[in-house]
Amino acid sequence: MPVSLDVLLIGGSGFLGRPTANALIEAGHRVTVLTRGTHDSPSGVETMAADRGDRAALARALEGRRFDLTVDFVAYDSIDIEGCCSSRTPRSVAT
């Protein structure tokens, strides 16, 4: 029996994120996209809007949420990854 994961895609509405979201949904996973809201999110995903540069807004958007996997398409350094992923997911990938 396949395992369904809760996946967070940071920057998931852009060039790399959109096809990744579609593939994950097709595989039966639950996908949440964290975006600044400058592009439409792929259909079938939950969308959360926040700018990762605004730490307070980011914390509010992610408050109480946990994910099985986070894929970060817009991380620039370890501080970006720690701000989004460290306590919310056991596994993360930065591209």
Side-chain angles (χ1 to χ4, degrees):
M1 174 179 233
V3 175
S4 180
L5 300 175
D6 287 315
V7 181
L8 173 63
L9 300 180
I10 301 173
S13 63
F15 179 72
L16 295 173
R18 184 172 299 279
T20 302
N22 291 334
L24 287 165
I25 290 167
E26 206 171 290
H29 302 295
R30 293 173 300 279
V31 178
T32 302
V33 169
L34 178 68
T35 178
R36 290 178 297 163
T38 57
H39 297 93
D40 290 335
S41 293
S43 62
V45 305
E46 176 185 354
T47 302
M48 296 189 304
D51 187 328
R52 78 171 328 130
D54 181 342
R55 297 288 181 181
L58 185 61
R60 282 191 304 275
L62 295 173
E63 185 176 357
R65 300 295 305 266
R66 292 193 54 81
F67 301 93
D68 299 309
L69 173 67
T70 298
V71 180
D72 193 336
F73 293 103
V74 292
Y76 292 105
D77 54 35
S78 62
I79 293 171
D80 286 341
I81 294 168
E82 290 167 9
C84 292
C85 306
S86 61
S87 65
R88 291 181 176 79
T89 183
R91 293 167 281 193
S92 59
V93 177
T95 60

